[in-house]
Amino acid sequence: MIEVAGLKKDYKSGKEVVPVLKGVDLSIEEGEFVCIIGPSGSGKTTLLHLLGGLDTPSSGTIKMKGTELTSKSEKERTILRRKEIGFVFQNYQLLPTLTVYENIVFPLHADGKKASHDEVQMLLDAVDLKGYDHRFPYELSGGQQQRVAIARALIHKPSILLADEPTGNLDRQRRGDILEWLAKFHAEREQTIVMV
């Protein structure tokens, strides 16, 4: 599903070059649930952004389902993300002027598809936000916003889910619930999940 070879990512800070990823090799099979663990600042989020085509590497290759991602244009990577990848960001990335419902279905509308009301309700129920459809992000706690972000990442049934600390802002009970639900979703749909 995902093959990474010699992946490097450097950032420039003034005249200094700061290496973040230093030659990552990684192979993830279809349907695997992979966790990336490491200390803060070790490049976990950078790796997810590269895998999702949100950023480009300094060198190395990323293949997704046999297609080299690193040679694609920004537009091609965007289309691939909309069709194949669900991304749960660490800082939610909800659109403040849209309701919970509208935030969840946004990826479908961006791709010219209609949302299934039943699917949205199933996702809201799964992340324990039933009845929150018409609320706005500013009316939600950080943990609730994170759960909306998870539902949004799953609405288009992506073959790959990239999750950057999806339970980081949740209490212990909610963390367990979300991880259990992701494991269930993974098992039922044979979805590939890469989670920091």
Side-chain angles (χ1 to χ4, degrees):
M1 181 64 87
I2 300 171
E3 288 180 57
V4 173
L7 196 65
K8 293 183 180 179
K9 182 64 180 179
D10 301 328
Y11 289 103
K12 288 186 180 176
S13 178
K15 293 183 180 181
E16 186 183 351
V17 175
V18 180
V20 178
L21 298 177
K22 304 171 188 174
V24 175
D25 296 316
L26 175 67
S27 180
I28 300 171
E29 298 296 324
E30 186 173 355
E32 273 193 289
F33 193 141
V34 176
C35 292
I36 299 172
I37 300 169
S40 180
S42 63
K44 301 179 303 292
T45 296
T46 298
L47 178 59
L48 278 192
H49 283 204
L50 292 169
L51 293 178
L54 295 169
D55 198 358
T56 55
S58 301
S59 64
T61 59
I62 303 167
K63 286 185 181 177
M64 187 168 294
K65 298 175 98 173
T67 301
E68 188 169 334
L69 191 62
T70 43
S71 65
K72 299 238 178 244
S73 69
E74 176 65 34
K75 183 177 180 182
E76 290 170 320
R77 290 194 317 270
T78 299
I79 291 168
L80 179 71
R81 270 195 308 274
R82 286 199 322 240
K83 292 178 184 293
E84 299 288 343
I85 302 169
F87 208 112
V88 181
F89 295 94
Q90 202 171 35
N91 58 354
Y92 326 130
Q93 300 280 336
L94 300 180
L95 297 166
T97 58
L98 300 183
T99 64
V100 165
Y101 190 97
E102 291 165 337
N103 265 286
I104 291 172
V105 301
F106 184 78
L108 293 177
H109 291 307
D111 209 23
K113 296 179 180 173
K114 296 251 184 212
S116 159
H117 181 75
D118 290 344
E119 182 76 12
V120 175
Q121 294 308 315
M122 185 276 295
L123 286 169
L124 283 169
D125 190 37
V127 296
D128 200 23
L129 288 175
K130 197 163 193 142
Y132 284 69
D133 315 39
H134 301 294
R135 293 198 187 181
F136 289 89
Y138 69 87
E139 299 175 298
L140 305 174
S141 70
Q144 289 170 327
Q145 289 182 49
Q146 183 67 299
R147 288 183 273 151
V148 172
I150 291 168
R152 179 188 57 199
L154 296 170
I155 188 65
H156 66 290
K157 299 180 180 128
S159 57
I160 300 167
L161 178 69
L162 302 175
D164 193 1
E165 299 187 37
T167 62
N169 295 308
L170 305 179
D171 60 44
R172 188 179 191 142
Q173 176 62 46
R174 292 272 186 255
R175 263 193 297 249
D177 291 346
I178 291 296
L179 290 175
E180 195 173 293
W181 190 73
L182 285 175
K184 180 175 184 268
F185 193 84
H186 166 256
E188 286 176 357
R189 301 187 185 189
E190 297 180 1
Q191 185 179 48
T192 304
I193 299 178
V194 182
M195 180 173 73
V196 168

